[in-house]
Amino acid sequence: MPKNRIITAIAFWLCTIALCANAQQKAGTFVEIGAGMSVSSLRFLHSIKPGFNAQVGIGYTPFIGETLLIPIDSVGNARSIHNVLDEHIRAYLFVSYTSKGETKVKIDNIEARGEINYFEIKPQGRYYIPLTPFYVGGGIFIGYAASRSLSHNGKPVRSIDAKNYYHTADAGFLAAGGGEIGVGNVVITGEISLEKGILNVSKTSKKKHTFAVMLTAGVSMTILDKHFRHY
């Protein structure tokens, strides 16, 4: 992966972490776009390969029950109290492009680097921790290999077709945690996520499963606003 891409991703993430305080979050239906860097392997923590990821998704905050207003000071100011599900849980559907693979794989006496670039669909739920800008979440992913390649010393291996070595489909589970901060009409997001595949992606006798850790920074915009909540 080019050095300038790594530097850009790190800078974007550091800025996001520095801003994650005093967040303002909107509830409703919204769009989130993000990108970042990743590390992955096809054998858990062996032959770790750096990569990248980009995603776009739509999120929804459920609205359950009526809103109650209760006084919070002597002059009659009030705040909205919502059902716990309405206040702290969101549902997402992401579509992402993610680079995974391994740095060392021996095929026909050639030590190659294997790369699989996936289009993934990711249904995900998030729980927002009360009185903080942070959340935890989880879900599943279903992937389709947009491209598969093998290289040696930065050059493609022409004698072996990667399509005969790696399967097309992948699927598994994901876990995530991150934070948000409101800036004007948008929300800046930062997230770390883990993906663990459950399908064997190797066509050889040696089983291999994807594993990836991703750092993603992005922005979210509300397209249908229900109410605001402030920290």
Side-chain angles (χ1 to χ4, degrees):
M1 186 167 61
K3 290 183 179 180
N4 59 344
R5 186 182 293 169
I6 297 176
I7 293 172
T8 301
I10 292 174
F12 195 9
W13 237 85
L14 289 176
C15 289
T16 302
I17 292 172
L19 288 170
C20 275
N22 300 321
Q24 176 195 56
Q25 298 182 9
K26 297 180 178 181
T29 302
F30 41 89
V31 173
E32 184 172 317
I33 301 172
M37 59 183 183
S38 65
V39 292
S40 65
S41 69
L42 300 186
R43 292 178 298 151
F44 187 68
L45 299 182
H46 290 275
S47 299
I48 296 174
K49 172 192 165 298
F52 65 92
N53 67 288
Q55 64 183 23
V56 59
I58 186 166
Y60 174 73
T61 303
F63 183 74
I64 302 174
E66 297 181 356
T67 298
L68 303 177
L69 294 177
I70 62 172
I72 60 173
D73 58 30
S74 59
V75 296
N77 292 325
R79 60 160 297 181
S80 297
I81 304 297
H82 302 277
N83 185 285
V84 172
L85 290 179
D86 182 48
E87 183 75 4
H88 298 297
I89 290 181
R90 294 183 186 174
Y92 279 84
L93 181 62
F94 283 103
V95 176
S96 70
Y97 186 78
T98 306
S99 173
K100 298 180 181 179
E102 53 191 340
T103 53
K104 294 180 181 180
V105 53
K106 198 165 185 179
I107 307 173
D108 295 343
N109 296 319
I110 298 175
E111 191 173 85
R113 173 191 177 100
E115 182 167 313
I116 314 172
N117 295 318
Y118 288 101
F119 283 115
E120 294 181 341
I121 297 175
K122 303 177 182 179
Q124 180 183 345
R126 290 179 182 174
Y127 174 74
Y128 286 80
I129 302 171
L131 304 179
T132 79
F134 303 110
Y135 65 84
V136 293
I140 63 172
F141 70 90
I142 301 171
Y144 173 82
S147 65
R148 289 158 285 178
S149 63
L150 294 168
S151 62
H152 178 70
N153 293 331
K155 297 180 180 180
V157 177
R158 305 290 186 185
S159 59
I160 304 171
D161 189 346
K163 293 180 181 179
N164 297 326
Y165 191 74
Y166 295 121
H167 286 294
T168 302
D170 191 23
F173 300 96
L174 66 90
E180 298 183 347
I181 178 173
V183 180
N185 292 324
V186 301
V187 174
I188 297 177
T189 65
E191 180 179 276
I192 180 170
S193 59
L194 289 79
E195 291 188 2
K196 180 65 175 71
I198 59 175
L199 299 183
N200 177 24
V201 299
S202 174
K203 290 185 176 182
T204 68
S205 58
K206 184 180 292 186
K207 291 185 178 181
K208 296 183 178 182
H209 302 84
T210 58
F211 176 79
V213 179
M214 291 172 282
L215 298 175
T216 306
V219 295
S220 176
M221 295 186 66
T222 302
I223 57 177
L224 180 60
D225 193 10
K226 288 180 181 178
H227 57 267
F228 293 82
R229 74 175 188 265
H230 299 267
Y231 299 127

